[in-house]
Structure formats: C-alpha cells, structure tokens
Amino acid sequence: MSSRSGSTREHESSGQSRGHSASPPVPESSETETEGLIFYHMDLYGSKERFDIFPEELPGRGDRSLADTRRESVSSSEKVPRSQEIGYDMEKEVAELAKMYGLDEDREKELELLGGRVEMESRWPPARTQKAGSQGSIYNASKSSTSVKDQSQSTKQQGLSGEASQHEDQSKARADDEAESNIWSREGLSSGGMSDEWNSQAVSEEQEEEEEEEVANVFCSTCKIPIRAFDKLFGEHKDHEVTQLPSALESEKEEIHKNICKLEEQIAQMENVASHLEEIFLTVEENFGRQEQNFEVHYNDAVQVLAQKYEEQLEALGEEKRQKLEALYEQLVSSGKHLDTCKELTDKTHELFLENDKAEFMKAAVTMVDRLQEFLKQEVNLELSTLPDFEERVIDFSEVEQLMNSINAIPAPCAPVINPQAPNAATGTSLRVCWGLFSDDTVESYQLCYKPVSNERHSDEQAEHTLKVKETYCTITNLLPNTQYEFWVSALNASGISPPSERAVYVTAPSPPIIKSKKIRSCENAALVCWESGDINPVDSYTVELYKLTDEENDDIITESIVGIPNCEVLIHLQPTQKYHICVRAQNLGGSSERSEPVLIHTTGTCFYLNEDTAHPLLAILDDGFTISCDELENPECDLPVYDNSFTRCIAILGSLIPFPGKHYWEVEVEEDTEYRTGVAFENTPRHGHLGANNSSWCIRHIITPSRHKYEFLHSGMTPDIRITIPPRRIGILLDYEKCRLSFFNADIAQHLYTFNSRFQHYVHPCFALETPGILRIHTGITIPSWTALP
C-alpha cells in the first residue's frame, strides 16, 4: 500500500495539465519500458478536463452529447505521435499494467455484472475530500492503461479501415468506461475511503435526478402509461407487458381512428333515428287526421242510423194507428147498419099488430116471421175488432253499437294494383304474380284469385281458384303450359276486404318442342331440322341452340343460337365432319320453354328419310326406317288404300327432298336376284308411271334376263347402250347440283358406271322402286369417297 501511495503522490505533483507525459507508478525495474505512455491529468474533484476525457453523461444532462465526447476521445487518441508508438510493445505494456493492478480478472467480472445496466454507465461519483487520494491514484493508473490500449486499438483500426471503424471504437470506449467506473467504486470501497451509507445515498440522489430528467421511451400496456426502459428492468413495471412507444402511439392512433369511425356510425344512426322520428311524427299527425275523419264518418253513420230507426218506428206506429181506426170504423158502421135493421123490423112488427084485417094480417105476419127468423140467424159480433193499446216496440241498437265499436278500428284497405307480367316470370307450369298497395292502409293478408282465360262464350263458368298470401307476390304452380290466366287480388284486414284490383292476364311459358328426329335432313355443311309444338295454343317464335361436341370434351357448350324462327323448320349452316347436339326452345310472352330433347347430327355426309306418304301400298318400310321390302307383285294396282301422294303403278317410294346445294352421296345395298330402280326425281314426278320413264326422274334399272343381268340408265324412257360385267351389290349415287351431274358407281370395286348430265331446275328427291319381291337397304351419312371425283 505504501508504494501505491507514493506513486500516486508522484503523479499528482508532476501531472498538472492535460497532455504532459509522466512515468507510470510501476517498480523501478520496469521504468525503462514506460516510454511512449501518456498519462492525463486526473482531477478527482470534477475538473472539466476529466469529463472531456471520460464523457459518460447521458444525452440531455449537459450541453455536450455522448457522440461529441466520443469524437473528442477518438481525436485525442489520434493526436498521439507515431514516434512514441515505435520502440515498445504497447499490448504487452498494457497487459503488465493490468496484471499489476489486478484489472484483468476484475474487469471481466465487472463487465458481466454491469453489462445490461446501460443507465449506470455514465455516472461519476460526486466530489470527495482529500481522504480519497490513494483511491484516486489507483483509478488514474487504471485509466491511463486503458487509454493507452484505446489509443493502440484506434490507431490499428484507422490503418486498416479508416473512418469505417469509428463506431466500433466508440462502443469499446463505452465498455471500458463502464469497467473503469465500477473499478473506481470497488477500489474506493476496499480502501475504506467511502462508506456504504454515503455510496448508497449518492447513487439514490443521482437516480432521482435521472428519473426526473430522463424521457420515457416505452409504454406499459398493463398500466397504460409511458415509462422508461430502466423502470421495466428494475422498477415497479418489471413484470408488466411493455411495447415500444412508437408502436404504442400507432396502436393508440389506430384505436382512436376506429372509435372515431364508430362514433361517425353512431352519428349516422342517430341521424337516421331522428329522421325516422320525424317521419313517425308526421305519421302520427296523418293517423290522427284519418282517425278523426273516421270518427266523424262513424258518428254521422250512427246518427243517420238512429234517425232512420226513428223514422221507421214512427212510420210503423202510424200505420198501426191507422189500422186500428179503420177496424173500429168498419165495426161501428156495421153495428149502425145492424141497429137500423132491428129498428125497422120492430116498427113494422108494431104496425102489423095494428092491422085489423085478419087476412091481411096473416099474409103480412108470415112474411114478417120469415124475415125475422132470417135476421136473427145472423151472428152479431159484439167484441171489439181491435184493442186500444198499441204494440210495445223495441228499437234495435245493435247496428249502432257496431258502428260505435268500429270507431277505433282501422278502415278497410283500398284496392291493390296488380302488376303486369314481368319477363322470365313464367315457366311451363308456374307463374309469379306481383302486386302493390299504394296507400297507408293496414293489410293483414291478400286474397289472390285466378282462372284460365277462355275464348268460349261461357268463360265465366271457368273454375276460379283462390289463394290467401301474406306477401305482395305469389308463385302459382300446377298450371297448363302456354295458357293465359286471369288474375285479380284483394286486400284484407280486421275491418273487411278491399275491392278487387283490375284484372291482369298472365301467360305460362310453352312446353318444350318435339324434334322430329326421323325427319332431319343434313349434309356436310348444313342441316334442315323440323319439330312440332308441344302445345295446343300457338307460340310466338322458336330458338334453336347448337352444341358442338369434340373428342376432348362432350359438355354442352352453346356454339350458336338462332332466334326468332316463326315456323317449325329451320335450315342451319354447319361445319363439315363435326358432331352437334341440337335443341329447340319455344318462346311466347311468358318466356322461354325448357330445351327439347337433343338430337345428334353428324356432318359427315348427306342424310335424308323416306317419305311414307309417297310409298306404294305393297311397299313396306322396316323398323330402321331405311330398308324397304316387297313380298308380292301379282297385282301392283291393288285395291289397298293409298295416299293422295302415293305411287299407284310403280312399287316405289321417294326420299325426302335434298334442299342443300353442292354434292350429296348415298349408297343402296341391293340383292343380285332382285329387279329394282333407284335414282332421283322431282317432287311432281307422276305417281301413276314408272321411274325413269319421264323427264322428271333419273334412275338405274336392274333387269334379270335368261342370259345376263341387264342395267339401264333411264331418263324420259331412254337409256344408253352400256354393258356392266360385274353386277354391283352396293350402288353409290353422287348428286352434284353445281355441276348438274348424277353419277352411279359400283361402290364395292370403286367403279364408275354412268353419269347423267342434266340441269336440275329444282331440288330433287332420292327414289327407290322394287319390280320383283326383295329388299333395298339405303345407307346415308356417308363421306363422299375420293374415287367418285370425275374429270
């Protein structure tokens, strides 16, 4: 301890100003190694130079910031002459100094203990008395060795990276200052220069000052107040949840914004409520006016009923009086007449007694006796015909009471207004009817009535249907397709039922049309589709929908829609070698029907059907629709019933018309032992003649002779002289409208047989005929073979 005190005193006496060099307080054996070390003046009583060298004040506690003092520390290290660094090992010198003063182990321990306490780094002890001189010497030596180390490190870093290492030097200097501050405290306590009580009081005073001056930088979510980070580590908020102050600020702003939005919503709601209250206020006034008017009407009605009752009772009482008086008067008159007769008989009887002549007396007496007897036989009603008392009459006040009771009741509603039919409001079996009530009347329910519209005279006799509904709309089901219905509606409440609305006519959608699949004609680029309506009543138009099918997907994707078709037939242009699904919808004012059953069309070749109306009675069409047969030919002109358009002599049949320009190809499968004719013919070809025998038909004819099979190509009864050596079993027929050609081929061997060159003025029908019992099979929808091409 004596050597340390002497060294300290020597340093204090020699180092009076910043920048003067002096020998460190080490043993004499090491004095030669202290060249190049710089020791700064250390005033333990708080000189200004000391704070310049060791700037540890927090920002805001003085006029100088931490960054400014760091820059001064680094600048002072840069001022060391390079000549002083040459000639000794600075790292070794620093290590020896640290070992001598016991700083190597203590420094690491102090850094571990105080590494997280950032707030305590920059605190220096207050000014002390001269009793702490020995502690100041030790602190100064430690400070000098640390400063030398900082100078060496700063010089090396500047040589390697220049200005880029300044931040790292500042961090190291900050850590060294923490250790030095704690070393001072530890050495001072060990030497007895500062008591525990004084140390605790000094630290407490500085903490209070810092708490007053330090700005809060975190937010305590538990207490909802801003706090310092130190309070989170060591204060009462240690176990509380905290967030960064900027984050808490943004969160509070967002919460305030949400509350403002809610407040604006409440304001809007209150404004709506106020507006609604104003409407209610006006409604109350209107209801009062209506109730007042209703009361006045009911009061007038009650007074009128009472007056009517009074008049009726008074009239009835007067009638009763009249009847009584008339009855009494009649009885009085009758009594007077009876009394007069009695007086007359009495007088005559007295006169008879005065008669002296006996004969006369007897004559008169007999007559008088008869008269008296007859008179006395009459019954005399001595009772009063009527009583003087009048019937007690009671006035019926039930109607008046009912009127009085209905004063506070709501009036019966006005008549509703039924809406016209809306688009797409109908299906084939249902209708959606809507109406409205353009008044403020109270309505409990509605009564909807409807009946089908009939053109017959007794349309009123149609059954009416009634429905009771709560809403102002109703969907009626189980109706007939494409049918008109008449609707009217009334409103009901407790007071009664309103007058009915005006009547409105609604119409249901049509039924799906029915496509005649066996009547479809098609070729490579077109199709003629026919259908029939599913309803009795006519429709407005039809819509045809095309769905093109591919190998990748077979979903129904509408390729094309043809709308506004007035008839049950349409010619559709298609793409070759494709498959299509075709559906038809019917349209009317009520809307569109459901799709018809789809039909599949292949545009690979020409397709047609056989017209049964043209078939000879002996010709039969098999179930497939493309095979004809004949069992007997003994009497072709038989008595079987025929159609007006049927063949009568030739056992033949026409196919449907081929109305498509271009080329058309089909094949006929024949039997070798059957005689036949096949070709084309106009619509007006004679039905009583043979095919090929006129100028309206062209055909190939097969005839079996004893020597060979003979083939003729007939038109107008003429044929060229052509010999065919190989009888065809499958005849190909190519019709070319554009080149005006009709060609025949042996399809089995791809052999051309003959070609007619004729200008077809009209579209033609395929035609087929049997001249001997047998069958013919027609094949359609065949792609035109390449070998049919002619030069």
Side-chain angles (χ1 to χ4, degrees):
M1 289 299 291
S2 60
S3 61
R4 291 190 179 186
S5 300
S7 300
T8 303
R9 287 194 293 271
E10 181 183 357
H11 172 69
E12 291 177 355
S13 61
S14 60
Q16 297 296 327
S17 64
R18 182 177 179 180
H20 293 182
S21 61
S23 298
V26 295
E28 296 179 359
S29 59
S30 61
E31 289 181 359
T32 58
E33 300 177 2
T34 61
E35 294 183 6
L37 297 178
I38 297 176
F39 292 89
Y40 298 95
H41 170 73
M42 175 56 65
D43 188 354
L44 298 179
Y45 298 97
S47 65
K48 183 177 182 181
E49 288 77 10
R50 173 179 175 276
F51 285 98
D52 291 341
I53 299 303
F54 303 99
E56 289 297 329
E57 287 195 334
L58 293 173
R61 296 196 60 185
D63 296 332
R64 299 162 61 94
S65 64
L66 181 59
D68 295 335
T69 56
R70 288 300 184 201
R71 283 194 293 270
E72 290 180 5
S73 177
V74 174
S75 177
S76 64
S77 300
E78 293 174 355
K79 293 180 181 179
V80 179
R82 290 184 179 275
S83 61
Q84 295 180 1
E85 296 177 4
I86 303 173
Y88 68 94
D89 189 352
M90 184 177 294
E91 294 290 337
K92 182 177 180 181
E93 185 68 29
V94 172
E96 290 179 359
L97 288 173
K99 185 177 182 180
M100 177 180 296
Y101 291 102
L103 300 177
D104 49 355
E105 298 178 358
D106 295 339
R107 186 165 182 258
E108 295 177 0
K109 293 179 180 179
E110 292 297 331
L111 288 175
E112 293 177 359
L113 292 173
L114 302 176
R117 303 183 183 181
V118 180
E119 290 78 1
M120 298 297 295
E121 292 174 357
S122 59
R123 305 191 184 280
W124 292 94
R128 297 180 301 276
T129 61
Q130 295 291 336
K131 294 181 181 181
S134 60
Q135 290 86 345
S137 175
I138 297 172
Y139 179 80
N140 193 19
S142 174
K143 186 68 179 181
S144 299
S145 64
T146 305
S147 178
V148 171
K149 185 175 180 179
D150 291 342
Q151 292 174 8
S152 175
Q153 292 178 353
S154 176
T155 303
K156 290 180 181 180
Q157 292 294 332
Q158 290 176 357
L160 295 175
S161 59
E163 295 181 357
S165 62
Q166 182 177 355
H167 179 68
E168 183 178 356
D169 293 339
Q170 293 175 358
S171 300
K172 291 182 179 180
R174 183 179 179 87
D176 293 342
D177 292 341
E178 292 173 15
E180 290 163 1
S181 176
N182 288 282
I183 289 170
W184 178 89
S185 299
R186 179 175 54 80
E187 292 295 337
L189 291 173
S190 62
S191 61
M194 181 184 294
S195 64
D196 294 340
E197 183 179 357
W198 181 90
N199 206 9
S200 176
Q201 182 179 1
V203 172
S204 176
E205 291 176 357
E206 291 181 359
Q207 287 181 354
E208 292 178 358
E209 293 177 1
E210 183 179 358
E211 290 177 358
E212 294 177 358
E213 298 179 5
E214 187 176 2
V215 179
N217 52 5
V218 294
F219 182 78
C220 179
S221 301
T222 305
C223 300
K224 302 296 183 181
I225 57 173
I227 62 172
R228 299 169 301 135
F230 178 81
D231 295 334
K232 167 61 180 172
L233 296 175
F234 305 104
E236 60 180 353
H237 305 280
K238 182 177 181 180
D239 298 329
H240 294 178
E241 181 181 356
V242 298
T243 57
Q244 294 296 327
L245 194 59
S247 301
L249 179 63
E250 294 297 328
S251 177
E252 289 298 325
K253 286 183 178 180
E254 183 177 358
E255 187 67 24
I256 292 173
H257 178 70
K258 291 180 179 179
N259 292 332
I260 290 176
C261 293
K262 292 180 179 180
L263 185 61
E264 291 176 351
E265 292 178 359
Q266 291 184 0
I267 291 173
Q269 292 177 356
M270 293 305 298
E271 290 178 351
N272 294 334
V273 170
S275 177
H276 183 64
L277 290 175
E278 292 178 359
E279 294 177 358
I280 295 299
F281 181 86
L282 297 176
T283 304
V284 169
E285 292 289 343
E286 294 175 358
N287 291 339
F288 171 76
R290 285 199 299 269
Q291 287 294 86
E292 183 181 16
Q293 184 180 4
N294 184 33
F295 178 81
E296 183 178 357
V297 170
H298 282 74
Y299 174 78
N300 293 334
D301 291 343
V303 172
Q304 185 177 359
V305 169
L306 286 174
Q308 184 178 359
K309 294 288 185 182
Y310 171 77
E311 294 292 337
E312 291 176 356
Q313 294 296 331
L314 186 61
E315 182 179 357
L317 186 63
E319 180 67 19
E320 184 179 1
K321 172 186 175 183
R322 184 184 64 80
Q323 292 177 358
K324 287 181 177 294
L325 292 178
E326 288 180 355
L328 291 174
Y329 179 76
E330 291 178 358
Q331 189 175 12
L332 179 62
V333 171
S334 177
S335 298
K337 290 180 179 181
H338 192 79
L339 181 61
D340 293 341
T341 303
C342 289
K343 288 181 177 182
E344 179 185 0
L345 292 175
T346 302
D347 292 340
K348 286 186 177 184
T349 301
H350 287 294
E351 290 177 358
L352 180 62
F353 278 105
L354 297 177
E355 181 65 38
N356 296 321
D357 187 358
K358 296 182 178 180
E360 291 295 331
F361 176 83
M362 290 301 297
K363 291 180 181 179
V366 171
T367 304
M368 180 61 65
V369 170
D370 294 336
R371 185 176 177 184
L372 288 173
Q373 290 179 353
E374 183 178 358
F375 178 76
L376 292 174
K377 288 180 180 179
Q378 296 179 359
E379 293 182 3
V380 180
N381 187 7
L382 300 179
E383 295 181 359
L384 293 176
S385 60
T386 182
L387 297 176
D389 296 334
F390 283 83
E391 180 183 355
E392 185 177 356
R393 299 182 177 275
V394 179
I395 299 178
D396 184 12
F397 291 99
S398 60
E399 186 176 357
V400 178
E401 291 177 356
Q402 184 178 359
L403 288 173
M404 297 302 294
N405 292 333
S406 63
I407 290 179
N408 296 325
I410 56 176
C414 299
V417 177
I418 195 164
N419 300 339
Q421 184 171 359
N424 301 321
T427 65
T429 58
S430 66
L431 284 170
R432 181 181 174 88
V433 183
C434 301
W435 59 89
L437 188 68
F438 297 96
S439 66
D440 296 331
D441 297 335
T442 302
V443 176
E444 296 179 358
S445 62
Y446 295 93
Q447 179 176 290
L448 179 65
C449 303
Y450 67 96
K451 67 177 182 178
V453 176
S454 176
N455 295 327
E456 299 178 0
R457 295 181 179 178
H458 304 287
S459 58
D460 294 338
E461 298 180 1
Q462 293 285 342
E464 294 184 2
H465 304 273
T466 303
L467 297 175
K468 190 174 182 179
V469 295
K470 293 289 187 180
E471 298 80 9
T472 57
Y473 60 88
C474 182
T475 300
I476 300 92
T477 58
N478 299 325
L479 303 178
L480 298 176
N482 197 29
T483 303
Q484 291 183 340
Y485 288 86
E486 193 175 33
F487 291 89
W488 63 96
V489 63
S490 300
L492 294 89
N493 62 14
S495 298
I497 184 171
S498 73
S501 66
E502 295 291 333
R503 301 197 176 193
V505 176
Y506 282 53
V507 58
T508 53
S511 298
I514 302 171
I515 298 179
K516 301 176 180 179
S517 57
K518 294 184 179 181
K519 303 293 184 179
I520 293 176
R521 289 161 279 176
S522 64
C523 63
E524 290 185 347
N525 51 21
L528 184 64
V529 182
C530 303
W531 60 88
E532 61 183 12
S533 175
D535 303 303
I536 300 176
N537 299 327
V539 299
D540 296 340
S541 64
Y542 296 93
T543 299
V544 174
E545 297 176 350
L546 280 70
Y547 305 87
K548 187 177 180 180
L549 304 180
T550 60
D551 295 336
E552 290 77 11
E553 56 178 354
N554 290 326
D555 295 335
D556 288 346
I557 301 176
I558 297 180
T559 306
E560 182 181 357
S561 293
I562 305 173
V563 300
I565 303 171
N567 303 319
C568 295
E569 183 178 271
V570 65
L571 179 63
I572 308 170
H573 295 282
L574 305 174
Q575 297 177 0
T577 64
Q578 299 293 334
K579 292 186 296 184
Y580 293 90
H581 268 159
I582 295 182
C583 300
V584 182
R585 296 178 185 264
Q587 306 280 343
N588 67 1
L589 293 176
S592 175
S593 71
E594 299 294 329
R595 295 178 186 173
S596 65
E597 290 295 327
V599 294
L600 181 63
I601 293 179
H602 296 267
T603 57
T604 55
T606 300
C607 295
F608 56 85
Y609 62 91
L610 298 178
N611 191 348
E612 298 181 6
D613 295 340
T614 62
H616 189 277
L618 296 178
L619 196 66
I621 302 175
L622 302 187
D623 294 339
D624 61 358
F626 292 95
T627 302
I628 60 175
S629 66
C630 180
D631 296 332
E632 58 178 349
L633 295 176
E634 295 179 358
N635 185 15
E637 297 183 1
C638 59
D639 296 332
L640 295 175
V642 296
Y643 297 101
D644 294 338
N645 201 26
S646 301
F647 285 93
T648 58
R649 185 175 181 185
C650 178
I651 304 177
I653 188 173
L654 293 181
S656 59
L657 186 70
I658 302 178
F660 314 114
K663 295 180 179 181
H664 305 280
Y665 179 80
W666 65 93
E667 294 179 354
V668 181
E669 186 178 350
V670 300
E671 295 178 345
E672 189 174 353
D673 57 349
T674 301
E675 295 182 357
Y676 56 86
R677 300 185 188 211
T678 182
V680 297
F682 287 141
E683 173 68 29
N684 59 355
T685 188
R687 301 297 192 264
H688 58 277
H690 291 279
L691 298 177
N694 47 58
N695 60 356
S696 60
S697 59
W698 298 258
C699 69
I700 179 176
R701 181 187 183 191
H702 175 227
I703 304 172
I704 302 175
T705 64
S707 59
R708 64 184 178 90
H709 291 273
K710 184 179 179 180
Y711 292 90
E712 297 177 345
F713 296 92
L714 297 171
H715 176 62
S716 299
M718 300 179 63
T719 179
D721 187 10
I722 297 176
R723 184 181 294 270
I724 298 176
T725 57
I726 302 176
R729 299 293 303 273
R730 195 178 184 100
I731 300 174
I733 303 174
L734 178 64
L735 172 64
D736 192 342
Y737 280 119
E738 295 178 355
K739 294 184 178 181
C740 303
R741 290 178 179 178
L742 178 64
S743 301
F744 296 89
F745 301 88
N746 185 344
D748 291 334
I749 59 176
Q751 180 187 16
H752 174 248
L753 302 178
Y754 183 75
T755 297
F756 289 102
N757 291 289
S758 178
R759 184 175 298 277
F760 301 106
Q761 298 177 354
H762 309 285
Y763 290 121
V764 297
H765 296 256
C767 58
F768 313 91
L770 287 170
E771 297 185 344
T772 60
I775 61 173
L776 295 178
R777 293 185 177 89
I778 299 98
H779 300 274
T780 64
I782 302 172
T783 304
I784 299 176
S786 59
W787 42 262
T788 60
L790 298 177

